Each structure stands twice: as structure tokens, then as C-alpha cells.
Amino acid sequence: GRLRPLGTEEYKKLIRVSGGQDAADIYFQGGTVINVYTRELWPANVAVSGGYIAYVGESDTMVGPETQVIDVTGRFLCPGYMEPHAHPFPAQVVFSLAQVALARGTTSMVYDNLFVYQFLEVEGLKNLIHDSVHLPIKIFWSARLDSQTYSDELREKFRPDRVAQFIESPAVRQVGELTDWPSLLDGDEQMVENVINAKKLGKKVEGHAPG
């Protein structure tokens, strides 16, 4: 599932705004859009409705009496940056790092879960995910399948039934950054089961660097 699914009425509103039948909430006027796919610069206005981009182009038919018009002449507009691999510990915590990143143009972050996973119980982890979903920035998670140091106590934290309860959330996009990769290569039963469970849930399984 999606982290914040777009509802039917929201989608219809976007269509109406794009065609000029409804007014946009915000209209960025006179800027230059950076096309990150083609590396082109496009002079264009950008209309926003309900937190979603509804229109990019020359038209201003979606500007209404209540629309907030922002003059961005001489400025560049680009899609929000994505941080694919963040460790919000110990210098920052989940929410403070998100605030700093958002103010600088990063709109999505993928957090490593190691420290919160080791110190919170399952309900606490679920509450953390629930609370982070409602932030202005999108918080996703990459789940560890082992600890950075070995002990029987820590190994118990990564038993498959507990890991599965965390990674089943739509906010968890992948598992990986294995520290004890020799155990995986040796066919360690717990590690293999965690990898297989992740794949069954449609999660990516990566080594360290995303992808």
C-alpha cells in the first residue's frame, strides 16, 4: 500500500484545478522548473491543491480570489529531494532531523531503524511509524535483520516473527545493511527466513547502499 493514498475526491479536485474549473490553493508564478529527468529548464507556473502539484505550465485559469500567489521570478523550482539512507541517531532524533531536512528541500527520507528497533517494543515501533506518517515530510524505513554486534540477547530481537511485525508496514520499504553477512552466506536459518519473509511482503532486500 501507499503511505498516504490519494482519495477519489482529492484526485477529482486535482483534475478540476488542472483544467481551471477549480481554484488552486497556491500558485507559484514566473519560475523556472528543473526537469530532473531530461535535465531541461522550463519557464513555467506551478499550481498546488491539497498539498499536491495539480498543474505545471503557462495557464493561470486556476488562480482564484482565495489562491495564494507567490512570485518566484528568477528562482528555480524542482521536485523535493529524497534522502535514501539516513541514520537519525545519536546526533538527531527522527522528528528533529526531519524538520531540518524539510526546511532545506528534502521531502522524503529513508531511515535506518537499528537503534529504535533494538530499544523499543513492537507497539512502540508501530506508534513511532504512525506518528511519523503525519509529519509534513515523508518518513520511510529500512529495516535491519541483525545487530551491529553479536549477542544472544540482541539476536532474539531479530527473530522472524518480531521482524515481520515491523516490516509489514507500508512505511517500511526495504530490509538490509547486513552486518553479519557471513551468517547469511552460511545459510543461517534466522537470517534466511527474515530475507524470505521480506521478499514475500514485496520489500526490497539490499546490501548497504540503496538498490
Side-chain angles (χ1 to χ4, degrees):
R2 296 187 60 189
L3 192 65
R4 299 175 188 167
L6 185 64
T8 303
E9 292 307 313
E10 294 171 305
Y11 192 68
K12 289 180 179 178
K13 177 71 179 295
L14 286 175
I15 293 173
R16 292 196 299 271
V17 171
S18 70
Q21 288 83 38
D22 275 7
D25 297 327
I26 305 173
Y27 186 81
F28 296 94
Q29 185 175 48
T32 299
V33 173
I34 302 172
N35 187 324
V36 296
Y37 298 105
T38 66
R39 301 184 182 183
E40 294 177 285
L41 301 178
W42 292 348
N45 307 308
V46 177
V48 175
S49 175
Y52 294 93
I53 294 174
Y55 174 82
V56 178
E58 299 179 356
S59 177
D60 61 0
T61 56
M62 63 289 300
V63 176
E66 303 300 319
T67 302
Q68 179 185 4
V69 178
I70 301 176
D71 185 1
V72 289
T73 302
R75 295 179 178 271
F76 294 93
L77 305 176
C78 71
Y81 299 121
M82 297 184 69
E83 169 52 71
H85 191 117
H87 295 259
F89 324 100
Q92 305 93 5
V93 293
V94 172
F95 302 108
S96 63
L97 179 57
Q99 290 174 334
V100 172
L102 184 61
R104 288 159 176 78
T106 297
T107 56
S108 298
M109 303 187 76
V110 180
Y111 280 161
D112 178 271
N113 78 327
L114 180 63
F115 290 102
V116 291
Y117 184 81
Q118 290 184 161
F119 293 111
L120 292 179
E121 295 304 319
V122 171
E123 282 307 309
L125 292 166
K126 290 181 177 179
N127 289 337
L128 178 62
I129 289 177
H130 178 270
D131 292 342
S132 63
V133 164
H134 300 287
L135 293 173
I137 192 172
K138 286 185 177 179
I139 301 295
F140 299 103
W141 295 87
S142 176
R144 296 287 190 100
L145 302 182
D146 68 311
S147 177
Q148 288 186 168
T149 56
Y150 184 86
S151 74
D152 290 336
E153 180 183 357
L154 288 175
R155 179 178 168 82
E156 177 68 14
K157 296 275 189 180
F158 294 89
R159 66 181 191 272
D161 65 303
R162 188 174 192 266
V163 170
Q165 291 183 69
F166 180 77
I167 67 175
E168 66 186 5
S169 167
V172 180
R173 288 303 206 237
Q174 65 179 31
V175 302
E177 191 164 340
L178 300 182
T179 304
D180 188 18
W181 55 266
S183 289
L184 179 62
L185 297 181
D186 287 340
D188 176 80
E189 187 173 336
Q190 176 168 294
M191 188 78 79
V192 170
E193 188 173 345
N194 277 329
V195 169
I196 294 300
N197 287 344
K199 286 183 171 291
K200 286 179 179 178
L201 290 169
K203 309 297 179 175
K204 293 182 180 298
V205 179
E206 54 96 31
H208 190 146

Short mmCIF file of all heavy atoms in Angstrom, two decimals, residues 164-190:
data_model
loop_
_atom_site.label_atom_id
_atom_site.label_comp_id
_atom_site.label_asym_id
_atom_site.label_seq_id
_atom_site.Cartn_x
_atom_site.Cartn_y
_atom_site.Cartn_z
N ALA A 164 8.91 -9.41 11.26
CA ALA A 164 7.76 -9.37 10.35
C ALA A 164 6.74 -8.34 10.80
O ALA A 164 6.10 -7.67 9.98
CB ALA A 164 7.13 -10.74 10.24
N GLN A 165 6.57 -8.18 12.12
CA GLN A 165 5.59 -7.21 12.62
C GLN A 165 5.98 -5.78 12.28
O GLN A 165 5.13 -4.91 12.15
CB GLN A 165 5.44 -7.37 14.14
CG GLN A 165 4.77 -8.64 14.57
CD GLN A 165 4.60 -8.69 16.08
OE1 GLN A 165 3.82 -7.94 16.65
NE2 GLN A 165 5.36 -9.58 16.73
N PHE A 166 7.27 -5.55 12.15
CA PHE A 166 7.74 -4.20 11.80
C PHE A 166 7.69 -3.98 10.30
O PHE A 166 7.19 -2.95 9.82
CB PHE A 166 9.16 -3.98 12.32
CG PHE A 166 9.72 -2.62 12.01
CD1 PHE A 166 9.33 -1.51 12.74
CD2 PHE A 166 10.62 -2.44 10.96
CE1 PHE A 166 9.83 -0.25 12.44
CE2 PHE A 166 11.13 -1.19 10.66
CZ PHE A 166 10.73 -0.09 11.41
N ILE A 167 8.18 -4.93 9.53
CA ILE A 167 8.35 -4.69 8.09
C ILE A 167 7.04 -4.80 7.31
O ILE A 167 7.01 -4.44 6.14
CB ILE A 167 9.41 -5.62 7.47
CG1 ILE A 167 8.96 -7.08 7.50
CG2 ILE A 167 10.74 -5.45 8.16
CD1 ILE A 167 9.92 -8.03 6.80
N GLU A 168 5.96 -5.27 7.93
CA GLU A 168 4.69 -5.34 7.21
C GLU A 168 4.08 -3.96 6.97
O GLU A 168 3.19 -3.80 6.14
CB GLU A 168 3.69 -6.21 7.97
CG GLU A 168 3.26 -5.63 9.32
CD GLU A 168 2.38 -6.58 10.11
OE1 GLU A 168 2.19 -7.73 9.64
OE2 GLU A 168 1.89 -6.19 11.19
N SER A 169 4.57 -2.94 7.65
CA SER A 169 4.05 -1.58 7.47
C SER A 169 4.40 -1.03 6.09
O SER A 169 5.51 -1.24 5.60
CB SER A 169 4.63 -0.65 8.54
OG SER A 169 4.37 0.72 8.21
N PRO A 170 3.48 -0.31 5.44
CA PRO A 170 3.79 0.34 4.15
C PRO A 170 4.94 1.34 4.25
O PRO A 170 5.57 1.65 3.25
CB PRO A 170 2.48 1.05 3.79
CG PRO A 170 1.42 0.37 4.57
CD PRO A 170 2.08 -0.08 5.84
N ALA A 171 5.21 1.83 5.46
CA ALA A 171 6.29 2.80 5.63
C ALA A 171 7.66 2.15 5.56
O ALA A 171 8.66 2.83 5.34
CB ALA A 171 6.15 3.52 6.97
N VAL A 172 7.73 0.83 5.73
CA VAL A 172 9.00 0.10 5.63
C VAL A 172 9.17 -0.34 4.19
O VAL A 172 8.43 -1.18 3.69
CB VAL A 172 9.03 -1.11 6.59
CG1 VAL A 172 10.35 -1.85 6.46
CG2 VAL A 172 8.81 -0.65 8.03
N ARG A 173 10.15 0.21 3.51
CA ARG A 173 10.33 -0.02 2.08
C ARG A 173 11.30 -1.15 1.76
O ARG A 173 11.26 -1.73 0.68
CB ARG A 173 10.81 1.26 1.39
CG ARG A 173 9.76 2.34 1.28
CD ARG A 173 8.55 1.81 0.54
NE ARG A 173 7.79 2.86 -0.11
CZ ARG A 173 6.50 3.09 0.10
NH1 ARG A 173 5.85 2.37 0.98
NH2 ARG A 173 5.87 4.03 -0.56
N GLN A 174 12.20 -1.43 2.69
CA GLN A 174 13.23 -2.42 2.38
C GLN A 174 13.84 -2.95 3.66
O GLN A 174 13.61 -2.42 4.75
CB GLN A 174 14.33 -1.79 1.53
CG GLN A 174 15.10 -0.70 2.26
CD GLN A 174 16.21 -0.11 1.40
OE1 GLN A 174 16.12 -0.05 0.19
NE2 GLN A 174 17.29 0.30 2.05
N VAL A 175 14.62 -4.03 3.52
CA VAL A 175 15.45 -4.53 4.61
C VAL A 175 16.88 -4.58 4.08
O VAL A 175 17.11 -4.63 2.88
CB VAL A 175 15.00 -5.93 5.08
CG1 VAL A 175 13.55 -5.91 5.53
CG2 VAL A 175 15.19 -6.98 3.99
N GLY A 176 17.83 -4.55 5.02
CA GLY A 176 19.20 -4.62 4.53
C GLY A 176 20.23 -4.07 5.48
O GLY A 176 20.03 -4.05 6.68
N GLU A 177 21.31 -3.56 4.89
CA GLU A 177 22.51 -3.15 5.61
C GLU A 177 22.93 -4.24 6.59
O GLU A 177 23.07 -4.02 7.79
CB GLU A 177 22.32 -1.81 6.33
CG GLU A 177 23.65 -1.28 6.84
CD GLU A 177 23.62 0.19 7.21
OE1 GLU A 177 22.71 0.90 6.77
OE2 GLU A 177 24.53 0.61 7.94
N LEU A 178 23.11 -5.44 6.07
CA LEU A 178 23.50 -6.56 6.92
C LEU A 178 24.91 -6.35 7.45
O LEU A 178 25.83 -6.03 6.71
CB LEU A 178 23.45 -7.87 6.13
CG LEU A 178 22.10 -8.28 5.54
CD1 LEU A 178 22.23 -9.63 4.85
CD2 LEU A 178 21.04 -8.33 6.61
N THR A 179 25.05 -6.53 8.75
CA THR A 179 26.37 -6.50 9.36
C THR A 179 26.96 -7.91 9.38
O THR A 179 28.11 -8.13 9.02
CB THR A 179 26.29 -5.94 10.80
OG1 THR A 179 25.67 -4.66 10.76
CG2 THR A 179 27.67 -5.81 11.41
N ASP A 180 26.12 -8.86 9.77
CA ASP A 180 26.58 -10.25 9.87
C ASP A 180 26.30 -10.99 8.56
O ASP A 180 25.63 -12.02 8.54
CB ASP A 180 25.86 -10.93 11.05
CG ASP A 180 26.43 -12.31 11.35
OD1 ASP A 180 27.56 -12.58 10.89
OD2 ASP A 180 25.74 -13.09 12.01
N TRP A 181 26.82 -10.44 7.47
CA TRP A 181 26.56 -11.09 6.17
C TRP A 181 27.19 -12.48 6.05
O TRP A 181 26.67 -13.31 5.30
CB TRP A 181 27.02 -10.18 5.02
CG TRP A 181 28.44 -9.73 5.08
CD1 TRP A 181 28.90 -8.56 5.61
CD2 TRP A 181 29.58 -10.43 4.60
NE1 TRP A 181 30.26 -8.48 5.51
CE2 TRP A 181 30.71 -9.62 4.88
CE3 TRP A 181 29.78 -11.66 3.97
CZ2 TRP A 181 32.01 -10.00 4.55
CZ3 TRP A 181 31.06 -12.04 3.63
CH2 TRP A 181 32.16 -11.22 3.93
N PRO A 182 28.28 -12.79 6.77
CA PRO A 182 28.76 -14.18 6.68
C PRO A 182 27.71 -15.20 7.12
O PRO A 182 27.66 -16.31 6.58
CB PRO A 182 29.98 -14.19 7.62
CG PRO A 182 30.48 -12.78 7.58
CD PRO A 182 29.23 -11.95 7.54
N SER A 183 26.85 -14.83 8.10
CA SER A 183 25.81 -15.77 8.53
C SER A 183 24.82 -16.04 7.41
O SER A 183 24.34 -17.17 7.25
CB SER A 183 25.07 -15.20 9.75
OG SER A 183 25.89 -15.24 10.89
N LEU A 184 24.50 -15.00 6.63
CA LEU A 184 23.59 -15.20 5.50
C LEU A 184 24.23 -16.14 4.47
O LEU A 184 23.59 -17.07 3.97
CB LEU A 184 23.24 -13.87 4.85
CG LEU A 184 22.32 -13.95 3.63
CD1 LEU A 184 20.96 -14.53 4.01
CD2 LEU A 184 22.14 -12.56 3.00
N LEU A 185 25.50 -15.93 4.19
CA LEU A 185 26.19 -16.78 3.22
C LEU A 185 26.35 -18.21 3.73
O LEU A 185 26.42 -19.15 2.94
CB LEU A 185 27.56 -16.19 2.88
CG LEU A 185 27.54 -14.81 2.21
CD1 LEU A 185 28.97 -14.36 1.91
CD2 LEU A 185 26.72 -14.82 0.93
N ASP A 186 26.37 -18.36 5.07
CA ASP A 186 26.47 -19.70 5.65
C ASP A 186 25.10 -20.37 5.80
O ASP A 186 25.01 -21.49 6.31
CB ASP A 186 27.14 -19.64 7.02
CG ASP A 186 28.64 -19.37 6.91
OD1 ASP A 186 29.20 -19.61 5.81
OD2 ASP A 186 29.24 -18.92 7.91
N GLY A 187 24.04 -19.65 5.37
CA GLY A 187 22.71 -20.23 5.43
C GLY A 187 22.07 -20.20 6.80
O GLY A 187 21.21 -21.04 7.11
N ASP A 188 22.44 -19.23 7.65
CA ASP A 188 21.84 -19.10 8.97
C ASP A 188 20.32 -19.06 8.86
O ASP A 188 19.75 -18.26 8.11
CB ASP A 188 22.34 -17.83 9.65
CG ASP A 188 21.68 -17.59 10.99
OD1 ASP A 188 22.10 -18.21 11.97
OD2 ASP A 188 20.73 -16.78 11.04
N GLU A 189 19.66 -19.94 9.60
CA GLU A 189 18.21 -20.14 9.43
C GLU A 189 17.42 -18.87 9.70
O GLU A 189 16.50 -18.53 8.96
CB GLU A 189 17.74 -21.27 10.36
CG GLU A 189 16.29 -21.66 10.14
CD GLU A 189 15.89 -22.89 10.94
OE1 GLU A 189 16.79 -23.69 11.29
OE2 GLU A 189 14.70 -23.04 11.21
N GLN A 190 17.76 -18.16 10.77
CA GLN A 190 17.02 -16.95 11.11
C GLN A 190 17.20 -15.87 10.05
O GLN A 190 16.24 -15.22 9.63
CB GLN A 190 17.46 -16.42 12.48
CG GLN A 190 16.80 -15.10 12.86
CD GLN A 190 17.01 -14.74 14.32
OE1 GLN A 190 16.52 -15.42 15.21
NE2 GLN A 190 17.76 -13.66 14.58
#
